[in-house]
Amino acid sequence: MPMSRSSRGGLPILVTGMLLCGPASAGSPVQHYSNDRFGFSVDLPAELIAEPPPDNGDGQAFHAPDNTLRVTVSGLNNALDQTLTDFIASDRARCRHQPPDYLLERPDRIVFSCMTADGILYQKTIRSGRGTDTAFVSLRIRYPASEKARWQAAVVTASNTFRILASARER
């Protein structure tokens, strides 16, 4: 897939430097989450509250104490043999503009950010595994556009640290 980027001027979307800069809040405390079932990890702000995990161990949801930010990290086996584009289609359809305000497409990952009816959605989805043993792991972050300045560093840190662990790549 070709790499494409789009941006709409004036729209309060977090995109600038997301892939190019390191964690924006190097001194801020973080909590590290890793998922053994799907073999991925991410660093999130320490202030986020973990919600009860699902019984199947596919991921974890977190929220800010005041509920202005919600983060979900999860994996899903590719039982339907979908392409990465097909897998994210329903999330991407929530964007008010098509293409999304920010879009990066690579063969093994799609990253996008856009305005939805509920605010800003940032999503990074990575295809993991090989052949018929593939899975999709996703980082989804949602927050009101009015909270962009407050949560920008957290989104950058989560995006830059969200990764497939080496042991999962070998599966």
Side-chain angles (χ1 to χ4, degrees):
M1 286 181 199
M3 182 172 81
S4 63
R5 295 180 189 195
S6 67
S7 179
R8 299 187 195 289
L11 197 57
I13 299 295
L14 166 67
V15 292
T16 306
M18 196 171 284
L19 297 173
L20 301 175
C21 65
S25 56
S28 299
V30 297
Q31 58 180 307
H32 183 76
Y33 171 79
S34 62
N35 181 284
D36 292 334
R37 179 175 179 208
F38 287 98
F40 64 88
S41 68
V42 65
D43 290 341
L44 301 167
E47 71 186 275
L48 297 185
I49 299 164
E51 297 176 7
D55 292 336
N56 65 5
D58 68 351
Q60 182 73 52
F62 301 83
H63 65 271
D66 63 0
N67 290 314
T68 57
L69 178 88
R70 180 167 171 79
V71 177
T72 306
V73 288
S74 62
L76 182 67
N77 288 317
N78 189 10
L80 300 176
D81 196 29
Q82 292 180 296
T83 66
L84 186 55
T85 301
D86 291 340
F87 179 75
I88 65 146
S90 63
D91 291 316
R92 209 170 131 175
R94 296 177 53 208
C95 297
R96 289 186 172 173
H97 302 108
Q98 296 298 330
D101 302 296
Y102 175 82
L103 176 62
L104 172 77
E105 294 181 277
R106 293 193 178 153
D108 68 334
R109 70 192 61 217
I110 294 178
V111 182
F112 68 92
S113 180
C114 66
M115 285 297 299
T116 69
D118 301 321
I120 296 175
L121 168 65
Y122 171 83
Q123 182 169 325
K124 182 176 192 176
T125 299
I126 305 170
R127 187 181 66 241
S128 174
R130 296 186 178 133
T132 58
D133 188 28
T134 61
F136 298 110
V137 296
S138 293
L139 166 69
R140 289 180 185 93
I141 303 174
R142 296 180 302 268
Y143 55 96
S146 62
E147 296 288 327
K148 178 188 172 219
R150 176 179 173 196
W151 293 115
Q152 182 170 349
V155 174
V156 170
T157 297
S159 178
N160 287 340
T161 62
F162 182 63
R163 67 194 68 222
I164 305 296
L165 303 173
S167 59
R169 283 188 226 125
E170 299 165 3
R171 293 180 191 166

